[in-house]
Amino acid sequence: MADLTPLLAYRWSPWAFDPSAQLTPDEAASLLEAARWAPSAENRQPWRFAVGHREDETWKRILISLPGSDQGWARHAATLVVGAHTGDDAERAAYDLGQAIAHLTLQATALGLHVRQLTRFDQAGLATELDLPGDVRPLVVAAVGRLGDPFALPPDLRAREIGLRRRRPVADLLLA
């Protein structure tokens, strides 16, 4: 395997979050600051975020927008972050939002936190719950927290949580 910075090698998306851990205000601010510095087309920064900390109203509104199967583990995350995009060019804005979420995720890793991203949730319902302006479209929910006990997960998720991480070989990713 080619050399890879430990920050990238260590990053992974768990299902098991510590249900008692909280993010400090400085940690939450650091994640948003990292997202703010992500590259974007023409520096438009078309991303917007809603941040809910465990058990506050925003967190609850985000959690209920998730499918029931994801609520079971996501309810243990310290923070739920909605990533939304705005602007006329939805495709470009979604790409830029992805960059911002990637920066947030790597900053979380640098802080000893973990992130699991979800794109299957009730986007329209969440937009209504959070009273988002019409041009702000939620695209991703990022569950953020510290690692929890994988043996507290249901058997199907536990097996995936403790199994070996696998990635496709680089050769499989090349188009030509």
Side-chain angles (χ1 to χ4, degrees), residues 41-57:
E42 299 174 15
N43 198 29
R44 289 195 176 152
Q45 301 168 43
W47 47 75
R48 301 295 181 269
F49 299 103
V51 180
H53 299 285
R54 189 179 299 112
E55 298 299 328
D56 73 15
E57 282 304 309

Side-chain angles (χ1 to χ4, degrees), residues 30-31 33-39 98-108:
S30 179
L31 299 179
E33 187 67 13
R36 185 172 82 93
W37 282 98
Q99 295 255 24
I101 290 293
H103 276 61
L104 180 151
T105 299
L106 288 177
Q107 183 65 20

Side-chain angles (χ1 to χ4, degrees), residues 27-115:
E27 289 170 329
S30 179
L31 299 179
L32 295 173
E33 187 67 13
R36 185 172 82 93
W37 282 98
S40 68
E42 299 174 15
N43 198 29
R44 289 195 176 152
Q45 301 168 43
W47 47 75
R48 301 295 181 269
F49 299 103
V51 180
H53 299 285
R54 189 179 299 112
E55 298 299 328
D56 73 15
E57 282 304 309
T58 301
W59 184 92
K60 290 175 185 175
R61 290 173 188 220
I62 298 167
L63 186 67
I64 64 169
S65 76
L66 303 179
S69 59
D70 289 326
Q71 288 180 26
W73 61 265
R75 66 186 171 89
H76 296 300
T79 301
L80 296 173
V81 178
V82 174
H85 65 81
T86 185
D88 297 338
D89 188 343
E91 193 171 283
R92 182 183 278 182
Y95 177 83
D96 288 351
L97 171 61
Q99 295 255 24
I101 290 293
H103 276 61
L104 180 151
T105 299
L106 288 177
Q107 183 65 20
T109 304
L111 296 173
L113 302 169
H114 290 274
V115 177

